[in-house]
Amino acid sequence: MRDELVGRFADFGTKTAIFDQDTAFTYQELLDRIRYTRDVLRRHGVAPHDVVVVHGNYSLDSIATVLALFLGRNVVVPLVTLGERDLDTVVEHCRPRFLVRTGAGLVVEELDTPAPAPAAASTTSASAGMIDRLSGADAAGLVLLSSGSTGAPKVILHNLDTLVGEKLEKRPRRRASSLSILMVLMFDHIGGINSLLSTLVAGGTAVLPHQRVPEEICGLIERHRIRVLPTSPTFLNLIIMGGFHQRFDLSSLRLITYGTEPMSDELLKRVNRNFPGVRLLQTFGTSETGIATTTSESSDSTYFKISDTGVEHRIVDGELQLRSRVQFLGYMNYADDSLTEDRWFRTGDLVEETDDGYLRIRGRAKEVINVGGEKLLPLELESVLLASPLIEDCVVYGKPNAITGQTVCVSVKPRGELTRAAARKHVLEFLADKVEPFKIPSKISVVDSVEMSDRLKKVRSQPRDVGA
């Protein structure tokens, strides 16, 4: 497999592998940088199966470092942001020996990893056992962190050989692709890793943005005549709200793939109106089971099928469960309570399924708002609100209530010059004859923008109540 990957890069030769700012790097230059990086790592004492943290965003050096560590059968922990909480979690549960910084050149630091605290000894032993199994299989590993919005992130361990091998199998050796793909999704997220590997094993060009903001992304689409844009519903709405699709020439786009969060029916209508002639495809995946191949019912439908032969799915009590060939090995710091006894992964996504097998994501189980026994999923109310010509964006969430258990709250970004009082009045009047009384928000905040996470998803856990 490693020989196959290196052989492909050599065959692609002078074709552009990476475009970073104003610099194009060929596959041969990427291969040369991988070999150089492997030499640097060896000189610093990095040995096969060592755990190595890679701190950096998309760049020639960061990509070459991850691939060099894959070739060296190491366990790779990519981190775009080296926050204290995330680093402490990785150190405690992964016991990394080295930290590689790729922001300005290549800097390799040996880490002084303290002995585990007695309270964490059993978890650390289980983590070491998972890494030992990787070593025994002579395989490389990949560690991803969950968003950790409600506490310490989950440490997710993958067999990197399995992930790369799946990509090589799905995209067999053939004439190099001419596609340029924007690396919009995070470098340390399963979606970003998937985009990067899919592009490089097929001989495409990975175009690297330095700021994941609509102006830069749309500017790169125009400059590089990008045909495929992988992104999220929230980011697409940002492009539309700012009019960036009109300020830049996006006529090269043929396909927009969207994932990381559910798409509301109303927002999908808005995207179709503003991107006529562009095919829309809903993607689906999790950090634990990888990104599945999907087929949308149509560009104007939020229903899709999982059409991946390597992924099984089933629905239990309304929740989607998955089992895949590239499934994670386990959590290194949590009990595997998300796995059933027969190794199905509980996604936490509530779905409905049509008779012909199409799925529609209704929302996350943990986001259900329970008002005195009546239940609401935020996406439902957001879709209704987005139908208003006076609302550009909104986020619905629940808050504790002493009487009803929870109450419905919404933050709205109005269109135009509406005052805050007028915006609140409009929300109440607009919803009055469209939803049941318990779904009417008890708190309406007017905001300048709806908060978005690094993973391009709406933030629901603690939305900003600016102007409440």
Side-chain angles (χ1 to χ4, degrees), residues 431-468:
L431 292 176
D433 59 351
K434 296 180 177 65
V435 300
E436 298 95 322
F438 81 91
K439 297 178 183 178
I440 302 294
S442 61
K443 180 177 182 180
I444 302 168
S445 302
V446 180
V447 297
D448 294 328
S449 63
V450 169
E451 190 173 2
M452 182 180 70
S453 73
D454 289 341
R455 300 187 179 187
L456 307 183
K457 299 190 288 187
K458 284 183 179 179
V459 175
R460 297 187 190 278
S461 56
Q462 294 179 329
R464 295 173 295 173
D465 286 338
V466 179

Side-chain angles (χ1 to χ4, degrees), residues 55-74:
H55 176 217
N57 211 332
Y58 289 109
S59 68
L60 175 65
D61 277 330
S62 62
I63 294 170
T65 300
V66 168
L67 293 173
L69 290 167
F70 163 69
L71 295 178
R73 295 170 173 81
N74 293 105

Side-chain angles (χ1 to χ4, degrees), residues 286-334:
T286 71
S287 296
E288 291 83 357
T289 58
I291 307 298
T293 301
T294 56
T295 306
S296 284
E297 185 180 44
S298 69
S299 289
D300 55 5
S301 171
T302 54
Y303 285 89
F304 69 98
K305 277 185 178 179
I306 295 176
S307 49
D308 195 320
T309 57
V311 181
E312 302 173 87
H313 81 276
R314 69 185 185 188
I315 299 171
V316 179
D317 296 328
E319 180 190 37
L320 181 64
Q321 297 184 0
L322 300 177
R323 192 164 60 182
S324 76
R325 284 203 299 250
V326 297
Q327 193 149 302
F328 73 138
L329 301 178
Y331 296 120
M332 301 181 74
N333 62 336
Y334 279 85

Side-chain angles (χ1 to χ4, degrees), residues 410-443:
V410 63
S411 296
V412 296
K413 180 186 186 313
R415 178 178 282 117
E417 301 299 323
L418 276 185
T419 65
R420 295 186 185 282
R424 293 188 185 97
K425 181 181 178 184
H426 171 71
V427 168
L428 295 174
E429 292 177 346
F430 185 78
L431 292 176
D433 59 351
K434 296 180 177 65
V435 300
E436 298 95 322
F438 81 91
K439 297 178 183 178
I440 302 294
S442 61
K443 180 177 182 180

